[in-house]
């Protein structure tokens, strides 16, 4: 099936980068459809590790064309630096295309992100500080946003920027006591970025749809995860974009009937970076078995230690439903190799009832406690397994239970960060 959305089913960092890279060996096009450089996607090739923030994780295959879609918010300085670093490592980035409708992150966006976060007292979100929220706020406010097409139009940019800077500086000065930004400095810096990016900017919806019509293999790469989705996530502890599979349509300019399948990437346990509800979270003194060792659960973008906990079947069912997942990819099974017993959450106990559907109310979540099922660990190294049959029986039982709770079949199991530490159960393409 030639068009696939790869979507995270938890709070991000599920291993989408590894799976996108893996599936990209056969893809013609890989399209990022939302988020920005809040994302951090790791791809390991041999002894080399690549950490990608804005560039789609298909970039490491020379034959794969990468697209940054209209739903992404682009920090041009960060993008150029990332492209430059990839070039220095011998990766060809000449085939990358950027949507003319994508919104631009300006210097006041990260500043406003940090200032807003630090002024919050009770409900800090724990953002990455990359200006993602403020950039999407401007997009939806429809007044002081700049799209790639505006940045490339020097006349338009020069006409609009003074008014935008005036307004932003007023907010920065009067609300936060920040000295503000100088018009000329931003103008000169961004016009330089515009020239560097100009050859890559195009109407990417035309580009992507033409590839689909030629029956090419197109992969839509989600950043973040379903529980960080602005509509479907643990609001307000979410990001400001639409990582859920539906976001691929709006964020890439593709009709829903053009999407053939949805691959849901899920860890064999759970993690979360930043604040917000996390029903199966383990207390700090118990997380090290998951976070350290092979788990390496530290944020790619901010370096923050990730909060860790058991697999949550309520969330798995929720995310499979929200995204219409028809193939699951279970990641990081090897991290559980040393566990004597493994817990799986099958529901939430709330007052006198058991909740099976993920609730909207954070109050209900806070008052709920997970109902766990215990399964015996397999206490064997799974990293060398190359097939379903070569996995320990107890590991297969665990995976079958995950699939049952999630309500979707497993297509792949990942047992290590390397490309060859991947078990295929069903064909994706
Ligand atoms: P993404 O944001 O979803 O792309 O995920 P990240 O790259 O932020 O985090 C996933 C981390 O897990 C990275 O360090 C990967 O190299 C690593 N990883 C991916 N798959 C596996 C796996 O099966 N086992 C182990 N131990 N690590 C993995
Ligand atoms: P990838 O693509 C994990 C989290 C932040 C914070 C919240 C809002 O690597 O899976 P933002 O800066 O987006 O306004 O922060 O979302 N967050 C992520 N957590 N993985 C990510 O991306 C994330 N991108 C944002 O930690 O809690
Ligand atoms: Mg990540």
């Amino acid at each position: 099936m030639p068009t696939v959305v790869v979507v995270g089913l938890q709070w991000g960092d599920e291993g989408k980068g590894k799976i996108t890279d893996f599936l990209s060996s056969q893809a013609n096009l890989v399209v990022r459809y939302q988020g920005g450089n809040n994302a951090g996607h790791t791809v390991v090739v041999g002894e080399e590790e690549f950490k990608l923030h804005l560039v789609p994780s298909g970039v490491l295959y020379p034959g794969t064309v990468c697209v940054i879609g209209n739903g992404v918010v682009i920090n041009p300085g960060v993008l150029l630096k990332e492209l430059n670093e990839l070039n220095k490592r011998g990766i060809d980035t000449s085939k990358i295309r950027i949507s003319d409708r994508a919104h631009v992150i300006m210097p006041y966006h990260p500043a406003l992100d940090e200032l807003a976060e630090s002024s919050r007292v009770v409900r800090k979100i724990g953002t990455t500080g990359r200006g993602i929220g403020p950039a999407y706020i401007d997009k939806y406010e429809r007044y002081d946003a700049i799209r790639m097409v505006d940045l490339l139009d020097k006349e338009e940019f020069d006409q609009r920027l003074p008014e935008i800077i005036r307004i932003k500086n007023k907010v920065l000065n009067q609300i936060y006591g920040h000295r503000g930004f100088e018009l000329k400095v931003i103008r000169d810096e961004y016009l330089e970025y515009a020239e560097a990016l100009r050859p890559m900017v195009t109407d990417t919806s035309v580009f992507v749809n033409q590839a689909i019509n030629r029956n090419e293999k197109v992969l839509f790469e989600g950043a973040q995860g379903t529980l960080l989705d602005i509509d479907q996530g643990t609001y307000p502890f979410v990001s400001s974009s639409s990582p859920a599979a539906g976001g691929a349509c709006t964020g890439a300019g593709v009709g829903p009937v053009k999407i053939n399948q949805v691959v849901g990437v899920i860890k064999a346990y759970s993690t979360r970076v930043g604040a917000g509800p996390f029903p199966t979270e383990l207390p700090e003194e118990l997380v090290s078995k998951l976070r350290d060792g092979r788990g390496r659960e530290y944020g790619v973008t901010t370096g923050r230690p990730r909060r860790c906990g058991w697999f949550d079947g309520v969330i798995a069912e929720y995310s499979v439903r929200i995204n219409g997942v028809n193939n699951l990819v279970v990641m990081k099974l090897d991290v559980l190799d040393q566990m004597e017993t493994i817990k799986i959450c099958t529901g939430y106990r709330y007052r006198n009832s058991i909740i099976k559907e993920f609730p909207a109310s954070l109050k209900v979540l806070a008052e709920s406690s997970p109902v766990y099922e215990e399964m015996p660990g397999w206490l064997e190294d799974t990293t060398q397994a190359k097939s379903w049959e070569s996995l320990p029986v107890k590991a297969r039982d665990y995976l079958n239970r995950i699939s049952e709770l999630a309500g979707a079949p497993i297509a792949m199991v990942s047992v290590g960060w390397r490309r060859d530490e991947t078990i295929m159960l069903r064909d994706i393409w």
Side-chain angles (χ1 to χ4, degrees):
M1 293 211 272
T3 56
V4 174
V5 181
V6 170
V7 60
L9 301 189
Q10 294 152 320
W11 287 279
D13 303 328
E14 297 89 348
K16 302 173 295 293
K18 170 180 163 164
I19 292 310
T20 299
D21 167 77
F22 188 88
L23 296 174
S24 293
S25 65
Q26 288 185 58
N28 300 93
L29 222 61
V30 177
V31 188
R32 259 288 292 274
Y33 57 85
Q34 45 66 235
N37 61 309
N38 48 349
H41 300 161
T42 316
V43 181
V44 180
V45 184
E47 295 310 309
E48 276 202 87
E49 186 171 72
F50 295 87
K51 292 175 189 294
L52 302 162
H53 299 283
L54 272 165
V55 173
S57 306
V59 72
L60 304 181
Y61 287 95
T64 306
V65 178
C66 288
V67 172
I68 301 178
N70 58 274
V72 177
V73 285
I74 300 175
N75 184 322
V78 171
L79 176 58
L80 285 164
K81 194 161 165 256
E82 194 169 324
L83 294 172
N84 190 28
E85 278 164 15
L86 286 166
N87 295 153
K88 278 200 271 178
R89 294 174 73 177
I91 307 300
D92 177 18
T93 58
S94 63
K95 289 210 279 295
I96 292 177
R97 296 287 174 274
I98 300 165
S99 169
D100 50 8
R101 289 172 172 80
H103 282 244
V104 179
I105 295 188
M106 301 296 287
Y108 40 80
H109 290 134
L112 286 166
D113 194 358
E114 297 276 17
L115 290 163
E117 266 291 272
S118 55
S119 71
R120 291 178 187 127
V121 182
V122 280
R123 276 210 320 193
K124 281 186 195 295
I125 299 169
T127 72
T128 59
R130 302 301 193 260
I132 306 300
Y136 279 110
I137 289 171
D138 283 353
K139 170 173 174 172
Y140 286 97
E141 195 178 34
R142 301 152 298 154
Y143 187 72
D144 27 10
I146 293 171
R147 296 178 301 162
M148 287 307 297
V149 68
D150 310 320
L151 176 64
L152 263 48
D153 180 342
K154 186 162 170 281
E155 217 174 283
E156 169 85 7
F157 189 65
D158 266 340
Q159 201 200 329
R160 293 199 36 225
L161 194 64
E163 163 80 341
I164 294 175
I165 299 291
R166 186 184 68 76
I167 295 172
K168 293 299 177 200
N169 280 349
K170 206 168 169 187
V171 172
L172 284 161
N173 299 158
Q174 296 185 5
I175 298 182
Y176 297 112
H178 182 285
R179 57 195 283 272
F181 289 89
E182 245 180 77
L183 172 64
K184 187 176 175 333
V185 175
I186 293 190
R187 176 191 179 272
D188 293 352
E189 181 185 339
Y190 272 66
L191 286 178
E192 227 175 273
Y193 294 152
E195 289 323 303
L197 295 175
R198 188 180 297 279
M200 291 180 249
V201 178
T202 186
D203 185 336
T204 50
S205 165
V206 172
F207 194 75
V208 174
N209 279 280
Q210 281 173 348
I212 293 174
N213 293 341
R214 285 194 300 268
N215 219 25
E216 289 183 3
K217 291 185 169 120
V218 180
L219 186 155
F220 298 91
E221 179 188 23
Q224 287 79 51
T226 308
L227 276 296
L228 289 174
D229 185 285
I230 187 80
D231 287 278
Q232 314 296 353
T234 44
Y235 191 88
F237 298 98
V238 292
S239 193
S240 304
S241 69
S242 305
C249 293
T250 48
V254 165
V257 293
K258 298 275 175 80
I259 308 270
N260 298 131
Q261 66 161 320
V262 180
V263 171
V265 184
I266 195 158
K267 273 183 208 182
Y269 51 96
S270 309
T271 65
R272 165 161 214 168
V273 203
F278 183 177
T280 61
E281 182 171 20
L282 280 163
E284 189 55 31
E285 61 276 15
L286 295 179
V287 300
S288 79
K289 263 193 166 175
L290 294 172
R291 184 186 291 152
D292 301 313
R294 290 188 62 84
R296 308 201 291 186
E297 295 294 358
Y298 293 87
V300 176
T301 299
T302 57
R304 287 177 290 178
R306 293 175 183 150
R307 298 158 64 193
C308 299
W310 297 115
F311 184 86
D312 188 332
V314 179
I315 279 176
E317 187 278 334
Y318 176 78
S319 292
V320 162
R321 168 162 47 87
I322 291 294
N323 293 295
V325 169
N326 62 337
N327 272 313
L328 275 181
V329 179
V330 181
M331 308 300 294
K332 303 188 96 163
L333 185 73
D334 55 299
V335 176
L336 301 178
D337 284 354
Q338 309 302 323
M339 298 281 180
E340 275 167 22
T341 49
I342 302 170
K343 289 188 186 180
I344 298 193
C345 167
T346 58
Y348 302 150
R349 183 166 290 107
Y350 175 66
R351 298 187 179 165
N352 292 324
S353 61
I354 303 288
I355 302 177
K356 292 280 184 185
E357 270 139 26
F358 194 67
S361 162
L362 300 195
K363 274 192 193 158
V364 171
L365 269 181
E367 267 191 61
S368 304
S369 53
V371 176
Y372 285 118
E373 214 172 75
E374 272 194 12
M375 295 189 76
W378 42 93
L379 297 171
E380 269 180 62
D381 178 12
T382 56
T383 60
Q384 305 305 312
K386 296 284 177 249
S387 64
W388 177 254
E389 291 70 30
S390 57
L391 282 169
V393 174
K394 285 176 182 155
R396 284 187 256 162
D397 290 344
Y398 181 67
L399 290 167
N400 281 333
R401 188 67 180 123
I402 284 181
S403 171
E404 189 178 35
L405 288 168
I410 298 176
M412 294 162 75
V413 179
S414 176
V415 289
W417 47 80
R418 292 173 204 282
R419 281 175 174 168
D420 63 356
E421 289 167 329
T422 315
I423 301 170
M424 289 296 296
L425 276 61
R426 290 151 61 101
D427 247 352
I428 300 272
W429 287 118

